[in-house]
Amino acid sequence: MPAPPSRVPQQERSRATRARLLEATVDCLVEYGWSGTTTTVVAARAGVSRGAQLHHYPTRAALVTAAVVHLAERRAAELRAEAEALPAGPRRFDRVIDMLAAAFTGPLFVAALELWVAARTDPELRAALVPLEARVGREMHRLTVALLDADERRPGVREAVQATLDLLRGLGVANLLTDDSARRTALLNTWKRQLATLLTP
Amino acid sequence: MPAPPSRVPQQERSRATRARLLEATVDCLVEYGWSGTTTTVVAARAGVSRGAQLHHYPTRAALVTAAVVHLAERRAAELRAEAEALPAGPRRFDRVIDMLAAAFTGPLFVAALELWVAARTDPELRAALVPLEARVGREMHRLTVALLDADERRPGVREAVQATLDLLRGLGVANLLTDDSARRTALLNTWKRQLATLLTP
């Protein structure tokens, strides 16, 4: 028996409303930081009523937690799509590192960093984010291994991938207030050669 | 001719007041984050009157800018003193990296990160911090080169020292919400061997 015809549009509307709220949350974090990202500001930016916003995400912590998941999924999907579009060949490895570096200096990184730093001194936000941090970190690691076609069974490969992600996180922070791209490009050119050596059997 | 005897104690009192205000600023940033670090809260924590606080640091930006300089100098002095206390020998290099890693996960790093992230969306704070960021970065680089006894005239050495500091900054962020020390120790053990190879003629 098919579902009542009125149900599907309602579900779709709900999904679209949630997506608009989560995108608006990320935009607000990038533009105003955590302190300016109140549920009222997000609802206004998303063009969603306060009532609808409270229905979907009753608290600020619930809203930003959902935004982190949404953000991590969007980033992973973007990276996968970009990587698929890369031509095969010797330049592919370097391009994957460039893509990852762009992800760690882009708006999604900035939004996540706002939340991470705020959560340090906000117990409710912290309780919501800590379980996600581990999950998002694992997924980012797995995605990077796949994109670099790395074989983690070989000794040292797991640590080399981890170091790459930690290095990129550090470079992301160094880019917060000023354009650090010239230094970053030079540094990553050296890192690409080292990493390639570490990953190559 | 000696200075009038009343001047010296006054200067000393001023210096002590300023030091108390700057230490209290760092403490407040660590405990409450940027949003909770108001000039009123800092003055109360330092046990300094509002009038004296406003006399020495008329704005919140002036206060935290001075705190960053104070913080960077304190961190550099601590690292130099710790490094001098290290015994010479093959383990010294590893201990220096451990010391640097501790600096990038300690309260001074956390306080600086609070300011860096807040400055992204606060134009007054940003204008005050950007010139300092470059200076503090250069001094940290120079100190690391000295502590590791690295020869930057050799190709690749400058980039290896930079990558170390960026990696440590990334590890500092990874440690914000949860104790990441087990993963960090394993990762740094690998990094120490790589870095030693990169720095050794």
Side-chain angles (χ1 to χ4, degrees):
Chain A
M1 201 175 87
S6 69
R7 287 293 298 282
V8 175
Q10 174 55 38
Q11 283 180 354
E12 268 168 26
R13 273 202 303 278
S14 286
R15 191 162 33 228
T17 300
R18 283 197 298 269
R20 279 217 305 283
L21 284 166
L22 300 181
E23 293 288 331
T25 302
V26 174
D27 291 347
C28 288
L29 285 168
V30 171
E31 197 160 327
Y32 313 123
W34 164 250
S35 63
T37 305
T38 62
T39 51
T40 318
V41 167
V42 170
R45 181 152 188 145
V48 167
S49 74
R50 275 292 275 169
Q53 179 251 300
L54 287 168
H55 168 70
H56 290 293
Y57 302 107
T59 65
R60 194 181 180 201
L63 178 65
V64 298
T65 309
V68 167
V69 174
H70 176 72
L71 199 139
E73 284 168 359
R74 199 178 102 188
R75 186 174 58 178
E78 284 175 5
L79 286 169
R80 269 193 213 96
E82 279 180 68
E84 270 172 31
L86 289 180
R91 298 272 304 144
R92 192 178 187 282
F93 182 90
D94 289 7
R95 296 282 300 278
V96 167
I97 299 292
D98 292 337
M99 272 171 40
L100 290 168
F104 274 92
T105 50
L108 301 188
F109 173 77
V110 164
L113 187 64
E114 285 284 345
L115 294 177
W116 260 230
V117 169
R120 203 183 59 80
T121 51
D122 182 322
E124 191 194 358
L125 185 59
R126 185 189 190 114
L129 286 188
V130 164
L132 283 185
E133 186 186 33
R135 187 178 127 195
V136 168
R138 271 196 308 275
E139 281 168 12
M140 191 66 190
H141 183 93
R142 205 175 298 138
L143 176 61
T144 305
V145 167
L147 294 181
L148 292 173
D149 202 15
D151 180 0
E152 287 205 293
R153 292 165 302 181
R154 294 190 51 241
V157 166
R158 184 174 173 73
E159 288 78 6
V161 172
Q162 280 189 356
T164 301
L165 292 173
D166 285 301
L167 175 66
L168 291 173
R169 194 181 310 110
L171 290 170
V173 174
N175 200 63
L176 274 188
L177 300 189
T178 47
D179 177 6
D180 190 41
S181 54
R183 189 185 75 91
R184 182 170 64 249
T185 301
L187 193 150
L188 284 178
N189 280 340
T190 308
W191 180 251
K192 285 167 186 170
R193 299 288 64 79
Q194 280 177 253
L195 183 63
T197 308
L198 292 167
L199 300 189
T200 308
Chain B
M1 202 177 86
S6 68
R7 289 291 300 279
V8 174
Q10 175 55 39
Q11 282 180 354
E12 268 168 26
R13 273 202 303 279
S14 285
R15 190 161 36 227
T17 302
R18 283 196 297 269
R20 278 218 306 283
L21 284 166
L22 300 182
E23 292 290 331
T25 303
V26 174
D27 291 348
C28 288
L29 284 169
V30 171
E31 198 160 328
Y32 313 123
W34 164 250
S35 63
T37 305
T38 62
T39 50
T40 318
V41 167
V42 170
R45 182 154 188 143
V48 167
S49 74
R50 273 294 273 168
Q53 179 251 299
L54 287 168
H55 168 70
H56 289 294
Y57 303 106
T59 65
R60 194 181 181 201
L63 178 64
V64 298
T65 308
V68 167
V69 174
H70 177 72
L71 199 139
E73 283 168 0
R74 200 179 102 188
R75 185 174 58 178
E78 284 175 5
L79 285 169
R80 269 193 213 96
E82 280 181 68
E84 271 173 30
L86 289 180
R91 297 271 304 145
R92 193 178 186 281
F93 182 91
D94 290 8
R95 296 283 299 279
V96 167
I97 300 292
D98 292 338
M99 271 172 39
L100 290 168
F104 275 92
T105 50
L108 302 188
F109 173 76
V110 164
L113 187 64
E114 285 283 345
L115 294 178
W116 260 231
V117 169
R120 204 184 58 80
T121 51
D122 183 320
E124 191 194 358
L125 185 59
R126 185 189 190 114
L129 286 188
V130 163
L132 284 185
E133 187 187 33
R135 187 177 126 195
V136 169
R138 269 195 309 274
E139 281 168 12
M140 191 66 190
H141 183 92
R142 204 174 300 138
L143 177 60
T144 306
V145 167
L147 295 181
L148 292 173
D149 201 16
D151 179 2
E152 287 205 295
R153 291 165 303 181
R154 294 189 52 239
V157 166
R158 184 175 172 72
E159 288 78 5
V161 172
Q162 280 191 355
T164 301
L165 291 173
D166 286 301
L167 175 66
L168 291 172
R169 194 181 309 111
L171 289 169
V173 173
N175 201 62
L176 275 187
L177 300 187
T178 48
D179 177 7
D180 190 40
S181 54
R183 189 186 75 92
R184 182 170 63 249
T185 301
L187 192 150
L188 285 178
N189 280 340
T190 308
W191 180 251
K192 285 167 187 169
R193 299 288 65 77
Q194 280 177 253
L195 182 63
T197 309
L198 291 167
L199 300 189
T200 308

